[in-house]
Amino acid sequence: DSGVTQTPKHLITATGQRVTLRCSPRSGDLSVYWYQQSLDQGLQFLIQYYNGEERAKGNILERFSAQQFPDLHSELNLSSLELGDSALYFCASSVGDRVVSYTFGSGTRLTVV
Amino acid sequence: EDKVVQSPLSLVVHEGDTVTLNCSYEVTNFRSLLWYKQEKKAPTFLFMLTSSGIEKKSGRLSSILDKKELFSILNITATQTGDSAVYLCAVPTSGSRLTFGEGTQLTVNP
């Protein structure tokens, strides 16, 4: 157990639907990162939050949004889902804003049918 | 554009063999390079390298960075079936965002 908790582990949903992925960072970590891993694109950075504030944004689609709450857990919202959104979504956390040796959660496997 | 390239993409060896995985990079403002091991799910952190020529070791795994030639290698000696995994190389490219290579799928057969 890495200490980073992601729920749910698996999610199957239909095109056009909206889902929320949840992440609880490791105790003491203030930064949360979201990554998408699909078969053809490898691990791609989506977004980072630090202590409740958005810090960096990657190639995140407008249909996707995220937030970090005062208790530091984070949610990634994916809407108007398309087949191509099927992927593993990882959350990672680190203690600081610029600490790169972060710890990954086990991921949520999203399948859009 | 920042780029991280790993080779080979796939490798099949027998237990006891020694393997070398390669990672080359082109990034502005290089700070460090990281190696992760990904088995079924979560990538797990192996090494972070910041200085050229200094080998990092952990058991049968070792890694070295060459900042002049812009690459790193990950060596695994006396491989075991439990070493079968995808090995990912990553470089911070902006703040603490990591850019990952495609990974090397290592299969160790008994």
Side-chain angles (χ1 to χ4, degrees), chain A residues 21-88:
Chain A
L21 312 184
R22 183 188 166 101
C23 169
S24 293
R26 213 171 44 158
S27 177
D29 285 357
L30 299 178
S31 268
V32 170
Y33 311 81
W34 287 97
Y35 281 80
Q36 180 193 56
Q37 188 176 39
S38 51
L39 278 174
D40 58 343
Q41 291 222 329
L43 268 164
Q44 300 283 318
F45 172 76
L46 295 178
I47 198 164
Q48 178 204 356
Y49 280 84
Y50 175 75
N51 205 20
E53 291 189 7
E54 183 184 301
R55 267 293 192 260
K57 220 168 185 176
N59 298 326
I60 187 166
L61 299 170
E62 282 191 20
R63 301 183 284 108
F64 296 1
S65 65
Q67 53 184 325
Q68 186 179 29
F69 295 86
D71 68 352
L72 301 177
H73 91 272
S74 178
E75 292 179 358
L76 179 66
N77 300 297
L78 315 176
S79 61
S80 304
L81 285 166
E82 301 174 0
L83 295 177
D85 298 327
S86 296
L88 258 174

Side-chain angles (χ1 to χ4, degrees), chain A residues 9-10 33 35 37 43 45 48 56-58 88 90 97-102 104-107, chain B residues 31-32 34 36 38 40-45 48 88 92 94-102:
Chain A
K9 292 195 185 321
H10 302 276
Y33 311 81
Y35 281 80
Q37 188 176 39
L43 268 164
F45 172 76
Q48 178 204 356
K57 220 168 185 176
L88 258 174
F90 285 105
D97 184 18
R98 292 176 70 83
V99 174
V100 293
S101 54
Y102 31 77
F104 281 87
S106 297
Chain B
R31 288 177 282 142
S32 59
L34 294 91
Y36 281 85
Q38 185 175 22
K40 297 265 191 282
K41 282 284 186 79
T44 53
F45 173 75
M48 182 166 74
L88 297 162
S94 173
S96 48
R97 167 199 312 204
L98 289 178
T99 295
F100 283 84
E102 289 183 53

Side-chain angles (χ1 to χ4, degrees), chain B residues 52-93:
Chain B
S52 209
I54 297 180
E55 187 182 48
K56 290 257 180 137
K57 284 197 82 161
S58 176
R60 295 176 294 102
L61 276 67
S62 64
S63 184
I64 198 158
L65 174 68
D66 186 327
K67 286 165 80 169
K68 186 179 172 191
E69 300 297 330
L70 308 183
F71 77 91
S72 173
I73 58 172
L74 176 68
N75 281 318
I76 309 175
T77 59
T79 51
Q80 302 171 357
T81 54
D83 295 326
S84 296
V86 175
Y87 291 83
L88 297 162
C89 169
V91 179
T93 49

